[in-house]
Amino acid sequence: MVAHDHKKDELLSWVKKHREILSQHQLIATGTTGKLISDFLGVNVKRVMSGPLGGDQQLGSMIAEGEIDIVIFFWDPMEAQPHDSNVKALLRLCVVWNIPMACDAATADFILSSPFMHSEYVAEVPDYTSYLNRNVVKKI
């Protein structure tokens, strides 16, 4: 879970609405957001660094390693962020690895209310074998 500074209150409001369901899952969040959620829910939240300090990239790595199943990221579309390139990279990795991603409360509601939240769901992971084994031509 991630929220930009001007979206933290909105995320906490959403968390409050879904506290029962969220408390049943292992939550991972960027620094300040994780502390706010942990304090609010009274549950342990695995915290990575703050987004601008590398937290977005840490989450991206966890996605690539298959450690994250869903991303809830309330980002602020009205303000430029000093780490916009990291934000874009995180969103890109969600698409690359077929990770459900919500960037607003409505989409997060749809994800959380999905029947797949209450059963084992194995997302199809794209096969990048041909990409990884492609012939790379060196140019000198």
Side-chain angles (χ1 to χ4, degrees):
M1 301 181 90
V2 186
H4 285 155
D5 288 346
H6 290 102
K7 291 291 190 169
K8 289 190 190 319
D9 288 341
E10 184 179 338
L11 179 65
L12 284 177
S13 176
W14 182 83
V15 165
K16 179 180 180 182
K17 185 171 141 182
H18 299 288
R19 72 180 335 141
E20 187 175 315
I21 296 170
L22 293 172
S23 296
Q24 299 171 20
H25 295 275
Q26 178 186 353
L27 303 178
I28 304 169
T30 50
T32 308
T33 302
K35 179 169 180 11
L36 291 170
I37 293 169
S38 179
D39 291 348
F40 188 78
L41 291 179
V43 299
N44 187 37
V45 175
K46 179 176 180 173
R47 292 170 55 199
V48 298
M49 298 184 86
S50 174
L53 299 177
D56 296 333
Q57 292 177 334
Q58 287 176 292
L59 292 175
S61 174
M62 294 171 81
I63 288 168
E65 295 292 330
E67 298 174 27
I68 292 179
D69 299 316
I70 295 169
V71 171
I72 307 294
F73 187 170
F74 284 25
W75 59 276
D76 188 348
M78 304 307 282
E79 282 197 30
Q81 302 294 322
H83 61 300
D84 272 339
S85 59
N86 298 341
V87 171
K88 183 177 179 181
L90 176 60
L91 299 176
R92 179 185 165 278
L93 285 172
C94 289
V95 174
V96 165
W97 293 108
N98 197 25
I99 299 296
M101 170 182 47
C103 296
D104 56 51
T107 307
D109 285 344
F110 272 84
I111 289 173
L112 220 55
S113 65
S114 167
F116 293 120
M117 285 297 295
H118 308 290
S119 63
E120 184 67 26
Y121 175 76
V122 179
E124 188 173 321
V125 177
D127 182 2
Y128 290 109
T129 305
S130 62
Y131 175 80
L132 295 170
N133 294 325
R134 72 194 184 284
N135 187 18
V136 179
V137 179
K138 290 183 182 181
K139 293 184 180 180
I140 298 178

